[in-house]
Amino acid sequence: MKAKNQRLILAGLAIVAIIGAALLAMSALKDQAAYFYTPTDAKRDHVETGRAVRLGGMVQGGSIKREADGVTIRFIVTDNVETIPVTFKGIVPDLFKENSGVVAEGKFQPDGSFVADNILAKHDERYMPPQVAGEMHKTESLKK
């Protein structure tokens, strides 16, 4: 076999190996990806229960309720169109409060509620998750 043919075969094998590695990496990321939903997106797309997702929006004013155990918190996430009740067990960030931006990581339940494993609160008084800001902007522009 000529040296030129051997190089072509090696280059072909390298390309096949790179494509295989990329497919394996994409497959692994698909299982680990947590998609972001606003309440409107989640209700429209009927997100499957038990799937790890991020729910972002604003904490509805007057909705934060602390359970008697002291670690369970219930609140409502809204994007000013739809609302979703959220339950979280644990210590919330210091900046977590009503009428502020929040991103909850967790899973939807069969009843449509959301159980959060982690809460990310805003870090600036003007902060709003970009997807929520986009949805709220679209909503306001449609009302006019």
Side-chain angles (χ1 to χ4, degrees), residues 47-58:
V47 180
E48 64 185 84
T49 59
R51 180 175 163 201
V53 296
R54 290 181 174 176
L55 175 67
M58 305 296 286

Side-chain angles (χ1 to χ4, degrees), residues 61-119:
S63 69
I64 297 176
K65 308 283 187 231
R66 296 187 185 275
E67 297 288 321
D69 63 3
V71 293
T72 303
I73 297 173
R74 298 180 190 278
F75 59 96
I76 295 175
V77 173
T78 182
D79 59 0
N80 292 335
V81 177
E82 295 286 344
T83 60
I84 293 182
V86 177
T87 303
F88 175 69
K89 186 177 276 190
I91 299 171
V92 294
D94 291 339
L95 298 174
F96 176 80
K97 62 183 178 183
E98 296 173 351
N99 300 315
S100 65
V102 66
V103 175
E105 297 175 337
K107 297 174 182 169
F108 280 96
Q109 302 301 301
D111 64 355
S113 66
F114 190 82
V115 174
D117 301 324
N118 191 23
I119 298 289

